[in-house]
Amino acid sequence: MIDAEPDGLSPEDYATLCGFLRERTGLSFTEAKRYFVDRRVAARMRSVGAADLTVYMNLLRFQASGEELQRLVNLMTVNETYFFRETYQLDCLVNSVLDELVRGRPAGSRLRIWSAGCASGEEPYSIAIMLLERWGRVDDYEIELLASDIDSAVLERAREGVYDERALQGLPAHLRVKYFQPLRGADEDGGPRWRIMEELRESVDFSLVNIADPRQVRAFRGIDVIFCRNLLIYFDDLGRREAAAMFHDALAPGGFICLGHSESMSRMSSLFIPRRFPDAILYQKPDGGTP
Ligand SMILES: C[S@@+](CC[C@H](N)C(=O)[O-])C[C@H]1O[C@@H](n2cnc3c(N)ncnc32)[C@H](O)[C@@H]1O
């Protein structure tokens, strides 16, 4: 059978490009991802008229605006997500974690929750809905909901807050009616679309942040709960350890981190204490006192 695709990068070029992406983004592409990477890089090289990888790498490295690097990064990320994904952790947040965190804190004080690697926004919006629906003390505290991603295109979609049926299928029907408005006009597959209500869109502060870049993460301090789910699976062991240390710095003492179901902090770092709650296991930054 004749392969209609171009031959792709040579082994040396593939190693150069993946090394560069690893250094800039933390994303680790093994040989198994070659088809995925080759296709995307070939498309970008065609689009900017780069004759070979050296020319293209120069553009990635030295373009003052960083625009091409951002475009490539946007193509290299996996943005799969949906509302109420891994709900047991959201249950854990409203059933156990928040009450523990606010114990002894006066009403009116601040609580900071960060969704790192939020993709198109389903995760932080799910957290916002959970808090409104299920945490009785939601009005007693000043809750800051921060959300970030390395992919500028998904962040744009997160800010717009328009979702299709697939994104919403895990959301109980009464919550769809309560927090979403149906939009006129179908999505590209002919299906219906909904927009999350403005009040919720305004409740989340979205920003472009690469968690593999310590300078960008330095702005996040005193966080009470970090959600970093289904992101570190794309990092290698060293990248995961560095990310864990960085999250440790960003958390307030006693703060918690939630990882995806296939990710285990114990394999990444010994900086955290695993905490088993009735709904889920979370990892806690020690606060010097008893948990
Ligand atoms: C599979 S999605 C997970 C979304 C959501 N957290 C969830 O669990 O449903 C992974 C997200 O991590 C983002 N990501 C990958 N590398 C990143 C990095 N270095 N810094 C920030 N975000 C990154 C991707 O752009 C993507 O949107």
Side-chain angles (χ1 to χ4, degrees), residues 25 77-79 81 85 117 123 149-150 209-211 229-230:
T25 67
T77 53
V78 176
N79 309 119
T81 187
R85 185 178 196 179
E123 180 174 87
D149 204 280
I150 196 174
V209 176
N210 171 7
I211 64 153
R229 304 190 299 171
N230 308 301

Side-chain angles (χ1 to χ4, degrees), residues 82-95 126 130 134 170-172 175 227 229 261 279-280:
Y82 41 90
F83 277 88
F84 280 38
R85 185 178 196 179
E86 294 170 27
T87 323
Y88 59 95
Q89 293 182 330
L90 303 175
D91 288 332
C92 184
L93 182 74
V94 293
N95 290 339
S126 298
M130 251 343 221
R134 300 259 310 274
L171 189 79
L175 297 181
F227 281 78
R229 304 190 299 171
H261 74 280
D279 298 301

Side-chain angles (χ1 to χ4, degrees), residues 2-284:
I2 297 168
D3 187 356
E5 292 299 327
D7 287 343
L9 300 170
S10 70
E12 296 74 28
D13 281 354
Y14 187 72
T16 303
L17 180 82
C18 293
F20 173 79
L21 285 172
R22 161 69 184 77
E23 181 201 310
R24 294 297 180 100
T25 67
L27 296 170
S28 169
F29 298 102
T30 58
E31 195 55 37
K33 288 284 172 197
R34 185 176 247 289
Y35 186 67
F36 173 91
V37 174
D38 271 350
R39 279 173 65 96
R40 284 161 177 78
V41 173
R44 284 313 309 156
M45 284 173 61
R46 263 198 310 275
S47 176
V48 298
D52 58 32
L53 190 77
T54 308
V55 174
Y56 188 58
M57 292 294 302
N58 282 339
L59 184 64
L60 292 177
R61 285 204 169 97
F62 303 119
Q63 186 184 41
S65 66
E67 193 182 323
E68 183 54 31
L69 177 59
Q70 185 68 60
R71 277 179 197 267
L72 183 66
V73 167
N74 289 1
L75 284 180
M76 290 300 177
T77 53
V78 176
N79 309 119
E80 161 76 9
T81 187
Y82 41 90
F83 277 88
F84 280 38
R85 185 178 196 179
E86 294 170 27
T87 323
Y88 59 95
Q89 293 182 330
L90 303 175
D91 288 332
C92 184
L93 182 74
V94 293
N95 290 339
S96 312
V97 167
L98 292 175
D99 286 337
E100 178 172 322
L101 281 169
V102 301
R103 207 176 295 146
R105 282 196 210 183
S109 56
R110 197 175 61 174
L111 257 178
R112 307 185 88 191
I113 302 174
W114 176 20
S115 164
C118 66
S120 34
E122 288 87 331
E123 180 174 87
Y125 289 136
S126 298
I127 296 170
I129 293 173
M130 251 343 221
L131 293 178
L132 290 170
E133 289 292 313
R134 300 259 310 274
W135 194 46
R137 306 200 62 189
V138 69
D139 292 327
D140 295 346
Y141 292 89
E142 192 195 313
I143 299 172
E144 265 182 38
L145 207 38
L146 310 168
S148 63
D149 204 280
I150 196 174
D151 181 334
S152 56
V154 284
L155 276 176
E156 214 37 63
R157 285 170 41 205
R159 289 191 183 102
E160 271 178 25
V162 174
Y163 297 101
D164 62 12
E165 188 59 43
R166 219 196 107 273
L168 289 171
Q169 64 193 3
L171 189 79
H174 70 283
L175 297 181
R176 181 187 301 211
V177 174
K178 189 164 169 188
Y179 293 108
F180 292 80
Q181 285 141 2
L183 284 185
R184 259 187 245 142
D187 68 8
E188 54 209 27
D189 301 321
R193 300 175 310 154
W194 285 267
R195 177 171 229 173
I196 196 156
M197 61 189 253
E198 195 176 346
E199 205 182 321
L200 279 184
R201 270 185 280 136
E202 285 173 356
S203 74
V204 181
D205 182 1
F206 289 101
S207 57
L208 185 66
V209 176
N210 171 7
I211 64 153
D213 182 345
R215 283 166 311 178
Q216 294 183 31
V217 176
R218 222 164 276 152
F220 292 78
R221 284 293 175 269
I223 307 290
D224 293 296
V225 187
I226 296 173
F227 281 78
C228 181
R229 304 190 299 171
N230 308 301
L231 188 172
L232 297 177
I233 41 173
Y234 302 104
F235 282 24
D236 58 21
D237 283 345
L238 177 62
R240 283 193 269 265
R241 272 202 301 282
E242 288 171 350
M246 179 274 296
F247 286 136
H248 185 266
D249 289 347
L251 280 171
F256 291 90
I257 179 160
C258 296
L259 301 175
H261 74 280
S262 63
E263 301 160 312
S264 160
M265 184 57 85
S266 322
R267 276 186 257 124
M268 294 178 204
S269 163
S270 54
L271 291 167
F272 296 88
I273 305 164
R275 290 285 311 281
R276 187 179 293 275
F277 291 101
D279 298 301
I281 296 174
L282 268 56
Y283 298 90
Q284 186 172 31

